[in-house]
Amino acid sequence: MSDWWNSAVIYEVYPRSFSDADGDGIGDLRGIIERMPYLESLGIDGIWLTPFQRSPQVDQGYDISDYCDVDPLFGSLADFDELLAAAHSHGIRVLVDIVPNHTSIENPLFEAAVAAAPGSIERDMFHFSEGRGLNSESPPNNWVSVFGGPAWHRVFPESTVDTQWYLHLFSPGQPDWNWENPAVAAYFEAVIRFWFDRGVDGIRVDVAHGLYKAAGMPDSPTVPAVIDGLRSNPLAMDQEPVHEVYRSWRRIAEEYSPARLLVGEVNLEPERSARYTRADELHQTFAFAFAKLGWDGKQWSAVGQQLEAVRRTVGSAPSWALENHDIVRTVTRFGGGALGQQRARAAVVALLGLPGTVYIYQGQELGLPEVDVPVARRADPMWFNGGVSRDGARVPLPWDAASAGSHGFSPVPGAEPWLPVPPAWGDFSIERQELDETSALALFRQASALRAQFEVSSSSSASLALDWSIDGNGRVIARRSDGLRVVIAMGESAVELPAGAVVLSSEALVDGKLPANAAAWVAAE
Ligand code: GLC
């Protein structure tokens, strides 16, 4: 197999916060088209666009009301086609986000279900159920929404005739589909074909381990105190029939030439997650165990080893990520301030030295920290119901250093971005970093360009072994079977480098040693 993605760098574009061409304070597809030269300059192979489909934006687009159209907030289908053509002409592949676990209350199929009677075929597309108590006054079970509060909502709270509830594992604006109904599978096959036919190169599958619920939806044995995705409720995730869905999607992906990529958001332990990447299912999942790590050498090495072991059991290629739009930015997670910056740079160098696919989140290449968004400006539904805000990782990108306000995110002076860009972010701006050869951006570009030289051929990357180790000084080494070693100094002192040629390092070596909080690539001699 010579699949392009096996050694690709894929950059997650969060359209709301990438670039705002029309000046309404919210990023859009035209903004992405205009910034295509920047994307190309990063040396990436593809972009993954988080949802831009039609949506009332209750969950920033993860509540999709029409899977086959573009929300006017972001542009039109014609803009999307132009974006796709522009990306391809710049050598960049495009992945779109598909959300099959739930939809939006504004999806016409859900509106029809609400309008139809209990027990109707319309309602059978979703999980409608009578509640508990004489008058159905309590939810059908004890499941809790990932965003906080019960996972059930009464359709007509005042009615004594229609007393049904519907299931929503996320916000009440996001009703779950009933995957037991074959019409749901047929609907989604049409959706993925729609995008594949348009020429997209792959899809990212949202909450891919969701979809099916345990038969009869009994009470969950655990009612979580903290919100941790579906992990808190084993009955709402990782049910066996879901694998059949990905087998059929894989067959569809392979009908196309070149085959389309399927990458899943499977937020499970590595052993369970690996089962989604068996040879006839998804090509990849994001390595969540890795994506959530702090700056901790023992954990990096242990999780790295674990991921390597499980991927070999299914024969899939590795894939790596440390940031996305739901997770606290690495700069902040790794300690914040100058130290966090230094470690985040090291992490980028480390990641780009690993074999397999690397996912980078927009702004990671700039070393952006998490922002403490003022409470009054927070927009994340998880904040309102669950007290956790993901807004701090979603702040618009700073493009220029000169202008205050949006720092060039919106072209219109004075336009108010949907989340405020901190005044000091001119220092992080692309304009400023492009002029500074020691910037995070310069290092990212250098690493992605060098990576091309050390790319394992696609055909061998699935079999390319990786061995992680750590010594008493916190020196982590990820040794590739082709000889390249990624060394990360995760302890308190500088570390010796193994013998070989130093190809790249995130900090200058001192007396031949790699300083603490730095990473380097060392090639075999
Ligand atoms: C995924 C998305 C997240 C969204 C959730 C519900 O976890 O990454 O942003 O809120 O699914 O769709």
Side-chain angles (χ1 to χ4, degrees):
M1 275 207 302
S2 58
D3 295 319
W4 63 271
W5 55 77
N6 277 343
S7 53
V9 179
I10 300 180
Y11 179 91
E12 177 188 354
V13 173
Y14 192 74
R16 281 185 155 258
S17 299
F18 188 70
S19 182
D20 170 24
D22 67 6
D24 66 354
I26 297 177
D28 41 46
L29 299 187
R30 196 135 287 285
I32 303 170
I33 296 169
E34 287 172 5
R35 304 293 191 178
M36 211 51 84
Y38 174 72
L39 291 169
E40 183 175 3
S41 79
L42 297 177
I44 55 175
D45 303 284
I47 53 176
W48 146 35
L49 299 169
T50 62
F52 52 78
Q53 294 90 334
R54 208 173 262 273
S55 158
Q57 306 291 318
V58 168
D59 185 19
Q60 274 73 52
Y62 279 97
D63 50 317
I64 297 180
S65 55
D66 183 344
Y67 290 83
C68 299
D69 199 4
V70 173
D71 196 278
L73 201 55
F74 300 115
S76 63
L77 265 180
D79 292 330
F80 178 80
D81 290 338
E82 199 180 319
L83 186 159
L84 190 61
H88 286 167
S89 75
H90 285 266
I92 296 172
R93 265 92 167 195
V94 178
L95 268 57
V96 300
D97 220 311
I98 299 292
V99 184
N101 180 72
H102 47 268
T103 182
S104 155
I105 46 170
E106 291 189 15
N107 187 318
L109 290 175
F110 187 77
E111 290 176 337
V114 169
S120 57
I121 50 167
E122 287 86 352
R123 287 212 174 169
D124 194 42
M125 295 290 281
F126 305 92
H127 293 287
F128 281 89
S129 177
E130 292 300 328
R132 288 175 176 173
L134 275 184
N135 301 310
S136 181
E137 61 272 16
S138 313
N141 67 20
N142 70 351
W143 293 9
V144 172
S145 148
V146 173
F147 291 166
W152 296 90
H153 200 78
R154 260 290 276 275
V155 201
F156 299 109
E158 306 300 325
S159 174
T160 52
V161 181
D162 185 346
T163 53
Q164 288 204 317
W165 300 68
Y166 67 86
L167 177 71
H168 59 88
L169 292 179
F170 293 86
S171 77
Q174 295 163 292
D176 281 50
W177 291 102
N178 172 19
W179 275 86
E180 302 290 344
N181 183 340
V184 172
Y187 178 87
F188 275 97
E189 292 196 5
V191 167
I192 65 174
R193 282 183 193 281
F194 174 86
W195 292 106
F196 290 165
D197 289 345
R198 263 198 135 71
V200 309
D201 303 281
I203 55 174
R204 177 262 189 191
V205 185
D206 188 66
V207 196
H209 56 310
L211 283 61
Y212 280 89
K213 315 332 180 202
M217 294 199 273
D219 276 342
S220 172
T222 50
V223 178
V226 285
I227 295 169
D228 61 352
L230 299 187
R231 278 174 183 243
S232 53
N233 185 354
L235 303 175
M237 62 174 193
D238 201 24
Q239 302 294 310
E240 220 38 43
V242 77
H243 294 282
E244 233 12 85
V245 174
Y246 303 127
R247 291 196 179 102
S248 81
W249 290 13
R250 178 69 172 258
R251 285 192 291 273
I252 294 172
E254 286 178 355
E255 280 172 26
Y256 289 81
S257 180
R260 308 310 203 226
L261 168 62
L262 308 174
V263 53
E265 184 201 27
V266 180
N267 191 349
L268 295 172
E269 294 304 320
E271 288 73 16
R272 296 300 297 181
S273 179
R275 300 176 73 247
Y276 289 75
T277 56
R278 288 176 290 195
D280 57 349
E281 300 191 40
L282 301 174
H283 299 93
Q284 313 177 336
T285 59
F286 301 111
F288 269 92
F290 194 79
K292 292 178 178 167
L293 292 178
W295 187 257
D296 181 326
K298 282 194 182 128
Q299 284 187 8
W300 278 55
S301 151
V303 171
Q305 279 296 70
Q306 188 187 15
L307 289 169
E308 176 66 9
V310 296
R311 84 166 180 88
R312 288 211 228 159
T313 63
V314 290
S316 60
S319 72
W320 308 98
L322 280 170
E323 289 195 12
N324 69 34
H325 63 283
D326 297 326
I327 308 181
V328 174
R329 293 258 190 205
T330 48
V331 169
T332 306
R333 238 161 66 208
F334 294 167
L339 181 64
Q341 298 288 343
Q342 206 182 334
R343 290 172 169 173
R345 289 162 65 108
V348 160
V349 165
L351 227 56
L352 291 175
L354 298 176
T357 312
V358 177
Y359 286 86
I360 296 289
Y361 175 45
Q362 70 180 39
Q364 194 177 353
E365 79 282 17
L366 303 175
L368 294 183
E370 186 81 1
V371 176
D372 186 11
V373 174
V375 171
R377 296 291 302 272
R378 292 183 188 172
D380 183 4
M382 197 165 186
W383 166 251
F384 298 111
N385 297 319
V388 176
S389 162
R390 299 169 294 179
D391 296 305
R394 301 174 176 180
V395 171
L397 287 191
W399 289 89
D400 65 46
S403 57
S406 78
H407 291 293
F409 166 70
S410 289
V412 182
E416 184 63 29
W418 74 283
L419 289 176
V421 186
W425 271 26
D427 290 346
F428 289 114
S429 66
I430 290 155
E431 181 183 51
R432 176 99 25 111
Q433 296 206 27
E434 291 201 314
L435 299 173
D436 175 4
E437 58 186 27
T438 68
S439 66
L441 177 58
L443 181 66
F444 182 91
R445 285 178 170 153
Q446 196 190 355
S448 69
L450 279 169
R451 175 180 164 88
Q453 291 177 22
F454 289 91
E455 230 160 55
V456 280
S457 78
S458 305
S459 55
S460 68
S461 80
S463 58
L464 184 86
L466 192 61
D467 182 46
W468 292 80
S469 62
I470 180 166
D471 70 11
N473 290 328
R475 182 181 72 164
V476 172
I477 301 184
R479 171 192 283 272
R480 299 164 37 150
S481 52
D482 65 357
L484 190 71
R485 279 142 300 164
V486 171
V487 184
I488 323 166
M490 299 186 92
E492 297 198 341
S493 45
V495 299
E496 301 283 348
L497 287 172
V502 179
V503 181
L504 174 70
S505 68
S506 65
E507 305 288 331
L509 303 188
V510 178
D511 300 331
K513 287 183 164 184
L514 181 68
N517 306 306
W521 303 355
V522 182
E525 281 180 295

